[in-house]
Amino acid sequence: MASLATEEHPIKAIGWAAHDTSGHLSPVNFPRRKTGEMDVRFKVMYCGICHSDAHMVKNEWGSTIYPVVPGHEIVGIVTEVGTNVRKFKVGDRVGVGAMVESCHSCQSCDDNLENYCSKMVPTFGFKNLEGTMMYGGYSNFMVADEHFVVRIPDNLPLDASAPLLCAGITIYSPLKYYGLDKPGMNIGVVGLGGLGHMAVKFAKAMGLKVTVISTSPNKEKEAIESLGADSFLVSQEQDQLLAAVGTFDGIIDTVSAQHPLQPLISLLKPNGKLVMVGAPDKPLELPIFPLLVGRKLVGGSGIGGMKETQEMLHFAAKHNITADIEVIPIDYLNTAIERLLKADVKYRFVIDIANTFN
């Protein structure tokens, strides 16, 4: 097992890391900090595999610092708290999502939007504000400031709630912010993967009429019968697109691959909103004229602040919303990531850290 430099952090953790652009992950020893006065330390029970993990281990966004221990859908049980921690105690069910630090002094932080703080520190793959490398949840334990730790409601299973910490909040936040949460609204969901299936579940729980928009006709049955979507639109069928022109109050686009936006914009009502939550690695072409003639909006959204993330978890608990998952042992990790890149999962991989991590 490889070992990473101890830096100034004295506590040894074990995890799985990628060391180069091959993206291959293998066991590694690495340092975690001691539990500080405002820190929560917890045993990692499960960690979801986000599509961004696959991008990061292969440096497809050009920002990866190797070696990288991925994982930002992390849930577990508190084992230690700092002397000034007030929100959590040993034994609590907790989670950490896609960020672990922010400045706490800018307008975004004041507005409970730490995710948009210019000094926000992602959970893994970057250095924190003190210059120390951050390592994610493909590991046996986690230490984080209590401000960036959320409580997992007791009625949510830990394994199926892990993806809520990224995929769940990535969907919940734009539905709320862009006003696409009013019962009776007609909403489209582009793509039926990890994000898309969450979008269907949250939108239906909000009382929306949901249409899944997909290039894959064979997903219609699962969209409607399994996930509860109201209808299904095949985006490559021109007659279906024409029949739906001008009928959507909003569309949540979850696709991370290249795809045309003009057909989606045409589906919006006047004042309709196309919200991008997928992260294509190449720029998409945005036609302007279709926006002008209907005063339509194309926007984006990335995760959510800590207050909103906890709110999302309470909403999920109230409506029994969890991710559809495939639980895997840690030694299946590399195969799982390759399958993820082929969209060969329904709909989110979750690593069973506690039971399979040696």
Side-chain angles (χ1 to χ4, degrees):
M1 182 182 295
S3 295
L4 307 186
T6 59
E7 301 175 351
E8 67 271 27
H9 289 174
I11 308 300
K12 185 179 76 171
I14 55 175
W16 278 51
H19 296 266
D20 54 47
T21 56
S22 71
H24 182 81
L25 293 114
S26 58
V28 65
N29 291 316
F30 67 96
R32 292 265 194 219
R33 69 175 182 260
K34 290 182 179 179
T35 306
E37 61 181 19
M38 295 300 297
D39 285 339
V40 174
R41 174 172 170 168
F42 63 94
K43 178 182 179 181
V44 177
M45 304 299 289
Y46 298 96
C47 186
I49 301 178
C50 178
H51 207 281
S52 62
D53 296 354
H55 288 298
M56 286 293 291
V57 297
K58 296 176 181 289
N59 195 28
E60 291 179 346
W61 291 337
S63 60
T64 303
I65 302 172
Y66 292 106
V68 58
V69 177
H72 62 208
E73 299 176 346
I74 316 162
V75 295
I77 305 296
V78 175
T79 58
E80 185 180 21
V81 296
T83 55
N84 290 334
V85 169
R86 298 293 179 262
K87 295 192 295 183
F88 303 100
K89 65 182 186 303
V90 172
D92 283 350
R93 293 153 38 97
V94 297
V96 167
M99 60 180 170
V100 290
E101 286 188 23
S102 69
C103 76
H104 298 289
S105 60
C106 68
Q107 188 63 54
S108 291
C109 288
D110 288 345
D111 292 339
N112 297 307
L113 294 170
E114 302 92 339
N115 50 316
Y116 298 129
C117 171
S118 63
K119 296 182 179 179
M120 184 271 285
V121 178
T123 302
F124 73 88
F126 296 85
K127 292 185 177 181
N128 67 7
L129 301 180
E130 289 74 44
T132 302
M133 194 65 195
M134 305 305 294
Y135 301 111
Y138 296 6
S139 56
N140 60 333
F141 74 91
M142 188 77 185
V143 180
D145 186 296
E146 76 164 338
H147 184 81
F148 293 93
V149 178
V150 291
R151 185 179 303 277
I152 306 298
D154 289 340
N155 68 313
L156 292 179
L158 282 178
D159 53 1
S161 63
L164 297 177
L165 300 178
C166 179
I169 187 60
T170 295
I171 295 301
Y172 182 86
S173 183
L175 286 173
K176 299 290 285 188
Y177 175 77
Y178 286 100
L180 300 176
D181 59 341
K182 309 299 186 295
M185 278 186 162
N186 193 7
I187 301 296
V189 174
V190 186
L192 194 63
L195 288 174
H197 94 289
M198 286 277 84
V200 174
K201 291 188 177 191
F202 276 102
K204 288 301 297 180
M206 292 173 179
L208 311 182
K209 181 181 178 182
V210 180
T211 299
V212 171
I213 303 169
S214 174
T215 60
S216 304
N218 61 355
K219 291 187 177 181
E220 179 173 3
K221 183 176 180 180
E222 62 193 87
I224 294 175
E225 296 183 8
S226 299
L227 296 173
D230 297 285
S231 56
F232 189 89
L233 191 159
V234 180
S235 57
Q236 294 176 326
E237 296 291 339
Q238 290 302 310
D239 57 338
Q240 293 187 28
L241 286 176
L242 288 173
V245 165
T247 62
F248 290 99
D249 296 289
I251 296 174
I252 302 294
D253 188 341
T254 73
V255 175
S256 293
Q258 291 289 112
H259 61 290
L261 298 183
Q262 194 281 328
L264 301 177
I265 295 171
S266 73
L267 300 179
L268 294 171
K269 296 177 181 177
N271 304 310
K273 300 162 185 175
L274 171 61
V275 184
M276 313 298 294
V277 296
D281 57 0
K282 296 180 181 178
L284 302 181
E285 182 176 337
L286 177 61
I288 300 302
F289 190 73
L291 302 179
L292 305 181
V293 296
R295 197 166 63 180
K296 299 173 183 179
L297 172 70
V298 177
S301 185
I303 58 172
M306 297 310 303
K307 181 179 179 181
E308 189 174 46
T309 301
Q310 189 66 68
E311 175 188 302
M312 175 273 302
L313 287 169
H314 290 316
F315 182 90
K318 179 180 179 180
H319 296 278
N320 296 310
I321 298 172
T322 56
D324 290 3
I325 61 172
E326 180 178 336
V327 179
I328 63 165
I330 189 68
D331 57 9
Y332 190 75
L333 179 55
N334 289 296
T335 301
I337 287 180
E338 292 307 312
R339 282 181 55 194
L340 174 63
L341 293 172
K342 299 174 184 176
D344 180 22
V345 59
K346 291 182 181 178
Y347 288 94
R348 207 74 163 185
F349 285 115
V350 172
I351 309 165
D352 184 348
I353 299 289
N355 291 315
T356 68
F357 209 101
N358 296 316

